[in-house]
Amino acid sequence: MEFSKRNFLLTGGVMAATIGIAIKAFKPKEAVAAEQFKIIKTDDEWRRELTPEQYSVLRKADTEVPGSSPLNAEKRVGLFVCAGCENRLFSSRHKFESGTGWPSFWQPLDDAVGQKTDYLIGYPRTEIHCADCGGHLGHVFSDGPRPTGKRYCMNGAAMEFWVNDLVETVA
């Protein structure tokens, strides 16, 4: 194979892009920067207020083991709220069984979540986080049911479930 300047530059560009993706993939996981949100706490405050699993998911963007959350099987009428700040995230009316092992919804409540692109596993995904505290909730995919076609695949450890007689008026 003959090495031309063009082949050399092309090979170098591909290698640089690959290294860049690998560096992003192996960076320490962090949730979205706190200064963008209504609720700001120090790392020590989050550690004291959350369980180790909640802290790992909400603040370090980890993923719980599929099938490990009781919220995956939750069928009652109610609201799913952020375990970090109690922001109302999802109505039980928007929950569906995705077969993935994580609680899944076809839409969040209005203004409840934010999103950003992450590259933590080497390719782009849309991360979903709490709009109030920035806590990592999970990811959204385009393989959900109608009417949105979206699957908000959430970590149960990032949420709590509230049953409330007033849910009908707010969900």
Side-chain angles (χ1 to χ4, degrees), residues 80-156:
F80 293 83
V81 302
C82 177
C85 71
E86 299 184 342
N87 179 29
R88 296 168 180 205
L89 302 170
F90 297 94
S91 167
S92 61
R93 289 192 198 131
H94 302 148
K95 188 174 186 285
F96 70 99
E97 178 51 56
S98 66
T100 61
W102 291 282
S104 296
F105 305 85
W106 49 268
Q107 85 178 23
L109 296 174
D110 290 343
D111 303 318
V113 302
Q115 64 183 46
K116 72 173 186 125
T117 302
D118 82 32
Y119 296 88
L120 295 175
I121 61 172
Y123 65 89
R125 297 181 300 170
T126 303
E127 180 210 359
I128 300 300
H129 57 266
C130 174
D132 286 357
C133 73
H136 172 79
L137 301 171
H139 293 87
V140 64
F141 303 95
S142 295
D143 60 358
R146 291 178 185 228
T148 64
K150 300 293 183 189
R151 174 174 50 95
Y152 288 81
C153 191
M154 303 293 101
N155 288 285

Side-chain angles (χ1 to χ4, degrees), residues 4-17:
S4 67
K5 184 175 181 180
R6 179 179 174 183
N7 285 343
F8 177 77
L9 292 174
L10 182 61
T11 302
V14 169
M15 288 175 55

Side-chain angles (χ1 to χ4, degrees), residues 40-66:
I40 300 170
K41 297 181 183 182
T42 67
D43 193 57
D44 286 340
E45 289 172 317
W46 286 119
R47 281 185 188 276
R48 281 193 304 273
E49 294 175 19
L50 300 171
T51 68
E53 184 179 31
Q54 289 170 332
Y55 176 82
S56 178
V57 170
L58 284 166
R59 306 319 306 170
K60 297 298 179 186
D62 282 340
T63 301
E64 69 191 6
V65 174

